[in-house]
Amino acid sequence: MEKVYQPLRPGRKWFKELVAHVVFFVLGRAFQSAAKLDAGIRREVAEWEEGFTLAMCILPKGPSMLLKKVDGRIRYAGWAKEDADLIIRFKNIESAFLVLTPQMGSARAFAENRLSLVGDVARSMSFVRCLDRLLAYLYPAFICRPLVKRMPPVLRPVRRRLYIYTLGIPFGL
Amino acid sequence: MLPSYFEFYNPVKIVSGHKALDNLPYELSQMGVTRPLIVTDKGVVAAGLIQVVQEAFGSSGMTIGAIYDDVPPDSSVDVVNAIAEVYRANGCDGLVAVGGGSPIDTAKGVNIVVSHDKGELKDYMGADRLTGPLKPLVVVPTTAGTGSEVTLVAVIADIKRNVKMAFMSRHLLPNLALIDPRMTLTMPAKITAATGMDALSHAMEAYTCLQKNPLSDAHATAAITLISRYLPLAVEDGKNATARLALANASCMAGAAFSNSMVGMVHALGHATGAVCHIPHGVAMGIFLPHGLAYNLPERAEIIGELLLPLGGAEIYAATPPQSRPERLLESLNKLQKALEIKAGLPMRLKDAGAREDQLGEIALKAINDGALMMNPKEMDMEDAKAVLKKAF
């Protein structure tokens, strides 16, 4: 019998997509919460213009998250449905999974071209500094250390971690 | 050190050598260009270099669409738009940039405008905003330092908003780089020294920063070998065509290296110093390079030590024990700098270059927001930046 050649439709990586959805939600809510608690993140965010939007997404149409500066504070605004001022795009779900799980830090992800940036590079530097501080709250030092070039000097990490996990992420406080 | 993953992209055709410029009409015709617009500045015209370019078109049957020779040292949106008008009015179908960083960046900006029917230049600002190929662009560098002929970046000032707009896209890479030693023969000794240090800083940062990879390493070390050997010769005798060609090749290779492995804190500090104190980029690079290497030494000692081979030569490298190589590299670099200071008047300290101590805080703030810092191996925060600046002052 003659072999038939026809188009293939590769399946979806449901588990990794689900994990990415969850981590984006956690990251977004945690960022909102940490921006309130941490003076370093507050100082960085104060420099961002009112209404500034930042999206993280997985190409081509994967999970995403949107952060928006409203009334001087950063808010998690759910999925990135609209265009944003700064967009950090993971080129594929596998790269996103490495960074979000968190097996790879942002500097290494950029160095390995796993991320693509659309927008103002100076603003992305400010965001990465915030992200490093956020990681210090989200994870204990032994997880955080390999992800950052130098451990950010954050105050009361354990107490604030507890706040972020119990009130910040579930209730957006 | 082998990275677990890397990317390298350099689609620019490089035509390099004595009388290489005479191939310009042929190369343009291969790209389908029939009426190129030449973008240059007054300095290039005054040095008689545009005459050499014009002569290259002799007997080629090709029409030069126009020669725009009014590019200022810091190009702006208005200049880009004015050139785009000249391009359209003369029915041009490609661009030839002749000059240093400013005409090349301007031509890249013009290319964005003339290749898009909609929007303004600022709509394409930032990384990866361009989604398709632009018009053919040829670059003929007249300095040996920026490496812009093989980079995917352009910086254009928006004077009304008082900001420098950076554009980064693979589509900004020129189609062709034409390297002809005739184009750099008239460069004064001080500019030769400064641009040479710029190229050296590209190569050394490409080799030591986080995105280094085997291909960028090969380009970087080849560039350092040439700079180490030929920069002092070119500074001493500007008419030495071999030294000029070697430096132009080195600059191009260093450009290809850092375009793929990026640069680090030396460039972050240099960009910031240029913005605050208007110190020429090459001069700032010369000042910051040893300080940047010394700062990164705790994270990159072995890698920095490896640079002694291309900079100091095989004999010095072999005679130096591995643990002493980083120190010896810094000594060799210092020796090169001192020679350039004596022969060409290249400043070694910020204060000698015209910076004021009260400007250091502003420089530090700008430096920590510079994208180049992302690939620096060691974290540099505001206080670290101030400390390095103080040492360099």
Side-chain angles (χ1 to χ4, degrees):
Chain A
M1 208 174 115
E2 200 177 326
K3 190 173 177 187
V4 180
Y5 295 96
Q6 55 190 19
L8 292 173
R9 211 178 159 76
R12 292 181 68 170
K13 297 174 179 175
W14 291 107
F15 174 70
K16 286 180 177 169
E17 281 192 37
L18 180 69
V19 170
H21 275 301
V22 172
V23 177
F24 274 144
F25 173 80
V26 167
L27 214 56
R29 280 278 179 90
F31 196 100
Q32 176 179 307
S33 193
K36 215 169 52 175
L37 300 172
D38 181 79
I41 300 179
R42 263 204 314 273
R43 266 197 304 274
E44 296 284 354
V45 170
E47 297 294 319
W48 304 358
E49 59 274 15
E50 183 65 19
F52 174 79
T53 50
L54 184 149
M56 283 181 99
C57 61
I58 302 171
L59 292 173
K61 287 176 182 170
S64 63
M65 75 152 185
L66 185 73
L67 295 172
K68 192 169 189 172
K69 185 172 170 182
V70 184
D71 297 332
R73 285 172 57 183
I74 209 79
R75 298 273 181 199
Y76 168 62
W79 282 38
K81 296 182 198 79
E82 57 195 270
D83 198 14
D85 299 309
L86 180 66
I87 310 169
I88 295 168
R89 307 182 302 183
F90 293 97
K91 291 181 182 173
N92 56 60
I93 185 78
E94 295 295 339
S95 294
F97 193 76
L98 278 176
V99 175
L100 298 175
T101 37
Q103 302 171 63
M104 184 183 280
S106 54
R108 192 173 153 208
F110 275 111
E112 295 191 356
N113 297 92
R114 294 178 188 275
L115 299 169
S116 132
L117 193 75
V118 181
D120 184 8
V121 178
R123 192 47 48 79
S124 74
M125 295 301 293
S126 174
F127 176 66
V128 167
R129 284 195 293 271
C130 292
L131 207 55
D132 284 354
R133 295 186 76 84
L134 178 62
L135 292 179
Y137 289 122
L138 283 180
Y139 304 116
F142 77 93
I143 295 179
C144 186
R145 200 164 282 123
L147 305 176
V148 295
K149 289 183 195 170
R150 180 167 67 197
M151 278 296 281
V154 293
L155 295 172
R156 297 186 284 277
V158 178
R159 198 190 306 176
R160 286 179 176 178
R161 186 176 306 135
L162 198 67
Y163 179 92
I164 288 171
Y165 277 111
T166 55
L167 298 170
I169 295 167
F171 305 108
L173 295 172
Chain B
M1 196 178 86
L2 192 64
S4 58
Y5 175 97
F6 76 92
E7 294 182 5
F8 189 93
Y9 181 67
N10 182 27
V12 185
K13 177 173 179 179
I14 294 159
V15 174
S16 171
H18 298 284
K19 299 220 173 223
L21 201 58
D22 297 324
N23 279 324
L24 179 55
Y26 168 78
E27 292 293 343
L28 285 168
S29 69
Q30 290 297 299
M31 290 182 247
V33 178
T34 55
R35 291 172 73 88
L37 171 69
I38 297 176
V39 178
T40 189
D41 61 24
K42 287 280 181 239
V44 173
V45 176
L49 300 177
I50 213 67
Q51 195 62 33
V52 184
V53 177
Q54 244 176 292
E55 280 167 14
F57 282 90
S59 297
S60 70
M62 193 174 274
T63 305
I64 298 174
I67 299 177
Y68 186 96
D69 58 8
D70 274 326
V71 176
D74 275 322
S75 195
S76 67
V77 177
D78 293 340
V79 175
V80 166
N81 288 334
I83 302 174
E85 272 311 303
V86 174
Y87 181 97
R88 288 177 183 129
N90 290 283
C92 298
D93 52 5
L95 288 151
V96 178
V98 183
S102 185
I104 298 172
D105 278 13
T106 304
K108 288 177 179 175
V110 173
N111 208 2
I112 295 172
V113 176
V114 298
S115 302
H116 290 87
D117 297 330
K118 286 188 282 183
E120 301 173 60
L121 190 60
K122 70 174 169 56
D123 298 337
Y124 301 97
M125 188 180 98
D128 276 343
R129 290 276 187 200
L130 302 173
T131 50
L134 308 181
K135 304 283 183 198
L137 169 65
V138 176
V139 169
V140 182
T142 60
T143 62
T146 65
S148 303
E149 66 273 20
V150 286
T151 66
L152 43 73
V153 182
V155 179
I156 313 271
D158 185 342
I159 292 166
K160 281 178 205 140
R161 294 191 298 148
N162 195 27
V163 288
K164 282 203 170 190
M165 300 190 292
F167 302 84
M168 277 148 284
S169 166
R170 67 171 72 183
H171 302 298
L172 284 176
L173 278 162
N175 302 75
L176 173 73
L178 261 172
I179 295 164
D180 191 317
R182 284 178 293 176
M183 304 309 280
T184 51
L185 283 179
T186 53
M187 234 193 327
K190 190 173 177 182
I191 298 179
T192 303
T195 51
M197 288 307 285
D198 188 16
L200 186 64
S201 67
H202 291 155
M204 288 196 162
E205 287 220 288
Y207 194 84
T208 52
C209 286
L210 292 181
Q211 218 169 1
K212 78 190 249 83
N213 62 69
L215 285 173
S216 68
D217 284 356
H219 284 78
T221 49
I224 297 167
T225 304
L226 289 176
I227 294 166
S228 166
R229 184 164 171 194
Y230 288 103
L231 182 56
L233 289 178
V235 165
E236 211 154 87
D237 174 17
K239 298 290 174 208
N240 184 331
T242 306
R244 290 296 192 187
L245 180 60
L247 287 181
N249 286 335
S251 166
C252 184
M253 283 189 284
F258 93 85
S259 207
N260 283 281
S261 72
M262 304 311 286
V263 282
M265 63 179 288
V266 174
H267 276 76
L269 290 165
H271 295 154
T273 308
V276 175
C277 315
H278 306 287
I279 292 175
H281 182 66
V283 172
M285 291 298 95
I287 293 169
F288 287 126
L289 182 57
H291 294 283
L293 291 172
Y295 182 83
N296 285 323
L297 207 56
E299 300 288 332
R300 292 301 229 214
E302 194 185 336
I303 288 168
I304 291 172
E306 288 168 8
L307 289 177
L308 183 61
L309 180 59
L311 190 77
E315 281 181 31
I316 291 178
Y317 182 79
T320 311
Q323 69 276 14
S324 308
R325 284 174 188 158
E327 289 302 320
R328 190 68 202 268
L329 179 272
L330 289 174
E331 278 170 28
S332 297
L333 189 57
N334 196 256
K335 215 171 117 189
L336 176 68
Q337 272 190 314
K338 280 210 170 113
L340 296 177
E341 188 185 28
I342 293 164
K343 286 179 190 166
L346 191 71
M348 285 176 66
R349 311 201 67 79
L350 282 175
K351 63 179 170 197
D352 298 333
R356 297 192 320 265
E357 201 165 3
D358 63 332
Q359 292 173 314
L360 300 188
E362 196 185 343
I363 298 173
L365 183 62
K366 277 201 188 306
I368 61 161
N369 282 318
D370 192 288
L373 209 52
M374 178 75 80
M375 292 303 132
N376 197 63
K378 192 175 163 192
E379 183 72 47
M380 182 175 84
D381 62 18
M382 186 74 180
E383 293 312 309
D384 301 323
K386 279 185 188 165
V388 175
L389 284 163
K390 216 168 174 184
K391 276 186 194 163
F393 189 75

